[in-house]
Amino acid sequence: MKQWSREIEINAPIEHVWSYLDGSLEQMQKIMPQVVENKPVTITKEVVGSIYRQKYKEGKRIEEYDVHTLEYSNHLNDKKVKIGFTLANCFEITALYELHRINDQKTKLRYTATNKALKWYVKLFMIFANEKVVIKFLEKVKEVAEAEAKTGF
Protein backbone atom coordinates (compact mmCIF):
# COMPACT_ATOMS: atom_id res chain seq x y z
CA MET A 1 0.00 0.00 0.00
CA LYS A 2 1.19 3.50 -0.79
CA GLN A 3 0.22 6.66 1.08
CA TRP A 4 0.70 10.32 0.24
CA SER A 5 -0.11 13.31 2.42
CA ARG A 6 0.26 17.01 1.69
CA GLU A 7 -1.26 20.24 2.94
CA ILE A 8 -1.88 23.66 1.50
CA GLU A 9 -3.13 27.02 2.75
CA ILE A 10 -6.14 28.40 0.92
CA ASN A 11 -7.18 32.05 1.06
CA ALA A 12 -10.88 31.29 1.54
CA PRO A 13 -13.14 30.68 4.56
CA ILE A 14 -13.33 27.10 5.89
CA GLU A 15 -17.07 26.77 5.08
CA HIS A 16 -16.40 27.75 1.48
CA VAL A 17 -13.64 25.14 1.05
CA TRP A 18 -15.80 22.54 2.85
CA SER A 19 -18.64 23.09 0.35
CA TYR A 20 -16.59 21.32 -2.35
CA LEU A 21 -16.14 18.22 -0.20
CA ASP A 22 -19.46 18.05 1.65
CA GLY A 23 -21.85 19.64 -0.79
CA SER A 24 -23.65 19.03 -4.00
CA LEU A 25 -22.43 17.23 -7.11
CA GLU A 26 -22.20 20.64 -8.80
CA GLN A 27 -19.77 21.88 -6.11
CA MET A 28 -17.77 18.63 -6.17
CA GLN A 29 -17.38 18.80 -9.95
CA LYS A 30 -15.61 22.17 -9.65
CA ILE A 31 -12.63 20.39 -8.06
CA MET A 32 -13.23 16.89 -9.49
CA PRO A 33 -14.70 17.40 -12.98
CA GLN A 34 -14.33 13.69 -13.86
CA VAL A 35 -17.04 12.78 -11.31
CA VAL A 36 -20.17 12.70 -13.46
CA GLU A 37 -22.59 11.25 -10.89
CA ASN A 38 -22.79 10.95 -7.10
CA LYS A 39 -26.07 9.36 -5.97
CA PRO A 40 -26.90 8.39 -2.39
CA VAL A 41 -27.40 4.65 -1.83
CA THR A 42 -27.50 4.61 1.98
CA ILE A 43 -27.52 7.72 4.15
CA THR A 44 -26.93 7.48 7.89
CA LYS A 45 -27.79 10.11 10.48
CA GLU A 46 -24.17 10.13 11.70
CA VAL A 47 -22.89 10.39 8.08
CA VAL A 48 -20.28 7.67 8.79
CA GLY A 49 -21.53 4.54 7.04
CA SER A 50 -23.24 6.49 4.26
CA ILE A 51 -22.69 5.11 0.75
CA TYR A 52 -22.81 6.98 -2.55
CA ARG A 53 -22.72 5.41 -6.02
CA GLN A 54 -20.26 7.46 -7.99
CA LYS A 55 -19.49 7.52 -11.70
CA TYR A 56 -16.09 8.71 -12.84
CA LYS A 57 -15.20 9.45 -16.44
CA GLU A 58 -11.68 8.63 -17.58
CA GLY A 59 -11.37 9.40 -21.29
CA LYS A 60 -14.33 7.68 -22.94
CA ARG A 61 -14.67 5.05 -20.21
CA ILE A 62 -16.96 5.49 -17.20
CA GLU A 63 -16.15 3.63 -13.98
CA GLU A 64 -18.86 3.09 -11.37
CA TYR A 65 -18.13 2.32 -7.73
CA ASP A 66 -19.57 2.76 -4.24
CA VAL A 67 -17.97 5.40 -2.05
CA HIS A 68 -18.18 4.67 1.69
CA THR A 69 -17.94 7.44 4.29
CA LEU A 70 -15.44 6.12 6.84
CA GLU A 71 -14.92 9.19 9.05
CA TYR A 72 -16.77 12.47 9.37
CA SER A 73 -16.67 15.50 11.65
CA ASN A 74 -17.99 18.98 11.01
CA HIS A 75 -16.95 21.48 13.70
CA LEU A 76 -16.53 25.24 13.56
CA ASN A 77 -12.72 25.25 13.30
CA ASP A 78 -12.00 21.71 12.11
CA LYS A 79 -13.73 19.53 9.54
CA LYS A 80 -12.86 16.07 8.30
CA VAL A 81 -14.20 13.48 5.89
CA LYS A 82 -12.61 10.18 4.92
CA ILE A 83 -13.98 8.10 2.07
CA GLY A 84 -13.03 4.71 0.69
CA PHE A 85 -13.82 2.80 -2.49
CA THR A 86 -12.62 -0.03 -4.68
CA LEU A 87 -11.76 0.94 -8.24
CA ALA A 88 -12.11 -1.60 -11.06
CA ASN A 89 -11.59 -4.48 -8.59
CA CYS A 90 -7.89 -3.56 -8.74
CA PHE A 91 -7.32 -0.79 -6.22
CA GLU A 92 -8.61 -0.08 -2.73
CA ILE A 93 -8.45 3.69 -2.32
CA THR A 94 -9.04 6.03 0.61
CA ALA A 95 -9.06 9.81 0.62
CA LEU A 96 -8.93 11.85 3.83
CA TYR A 97 -9.68 15.57 3.70
CA GLU A 98 -8.91 17.57 6.85
CA LEU A 99 -9.69 21.28 7.07
CA HIS A 100 -8.52 23.64 9.80
CA ARG A 101 -9.57 27.27 10.20
CA ILE A 102 -6.45 29.47 10.35
CA ASN A 103 -8.59 32.63 10.50
CA ASP A 104 -11.87 33.84 8.97
CA GLN A 105 -10.34 34.10 5.50
CA LYS A 106 -7.72 31.35 5.49
CA THR A 107 -8.00 27.54 5.67
CA LYS A 108 -5.45 24.77 5.85
CA LEU A 109 -6.37 21.67 3.84
CA ARG A 110 -4.53 18.39 4.41
CA TYR A 111 -5.19 15.64 1.88
CA THR A 112 -4.07 12.08 2.55
CA ALA A 113 -4.59 9.39 -0.07
CA THR A 114 -3.89 5.67 0.16
CA ASN A 115 -3.81 3.20 -2.69
CA LYS A 116 -3.65 -0.56 -2.16
CA ALA A 117 -3.25 -2.92 -5.12
CA LEU A 118 -5.67 -5.85 -4.94
CA LYS A 119 -4.15 -7.98 -7.69
CA TRP A 120 -0.54 -9.09 -8.03
CA TYR A 121 -0.06 -7.66 -11.52
CA VAL A 122 -1.38 -4.25 -10.47
CA LYS A 123 1.30 -4.03 -7.78
CA LEU A 124 3.82 -3.44 -10.58
CA PHE A 125 2.05 -0.17 -11.45
CA MET A 126 2.28 0.90 -7.81
CA ILE A 127 6.07 1.01 -8.06
CA PHE A 128 5.76 4.05 -10.31
CA ALA A 129 2.97 5.77 -8.38
CA ASN A 130 3.90 9.10 -6.83
CA GLU A 131 2.34 12.05 -5.04
CA LYS A 132 1.87 14.15 -8.20
CA VAL A 133 -1.89 13.50 -8.16
CA VAL A 134 -2.17 14.68 -4.54
CA ILE A 135 -0.23 17.89 -5.25
CA LYS A 136 -2.25 18.59 -8.41
CA PHE A 137 -5.53 18.06 -6.53
CA LEU A 138 -4.56 20.47 -3.73
CA GLU A 139 -3.53 23.11 -6.26
CA LYS A 140 -6.89 22.68 -8.05
CA VAL A 141 -8.87 23.12 -4.81
CA LYS A 142 -6.83 26.23 -3.93
CA GLU A 143 -7.29 27.74 -7.40
CA VAL A 144 -11.06 27.14 -7.51
CA ALA A 145 -11.77 28.12 -3.89
CA GLU A 146 -9.75 31.34 -4.02
CA ALA A 147 -11.24 32.40 -7.38
CA GLU A 148 -14.80 31.80 -6.17
CA ALA A 149 -14.18 33.35 -2.72
CA LYS A 150 -13.13 36.60 -4.44
CA THR A 151 -16.31 36.68 -6.51
CA GLY A 152 -18.55 35.72 -3.59
CA PHE A 153 -19.20 32.20 -4.94
Side-chain angles (χ1 to χ4, degrees), residues 47-64:
V47 183
V48 172
S50 294
I51 301 169
Y52 291 83
R53 178 125 332 117
Q54 205 169 79
K55 289 185 180 177
Y56 183 92
K57 189 172 184 176
E58 188 66 50
K60 291 183 180 181
R61 201 174 76 231
I62 294 180
E63 289 285 340
E64 184 177 277

Side-chain angles (χ1 to χ4, degrees), residues 93-116:
I93 298 169
T94 66
L96 171 63
Y97 309 98
E98 297 170 285
L99 281 72
H100 175 73
R101 179 191 311 268
I102 296 171
N103 60 42
D104 287 348
Q105 295 302 315
K106 193 174 278 197
T107 304
K108 180 169 62 176
L109 169 61
R110 172 179 282 280
Y111 174 44
T112 304
T114 64
N115 196 329
K116 178 182 175 188

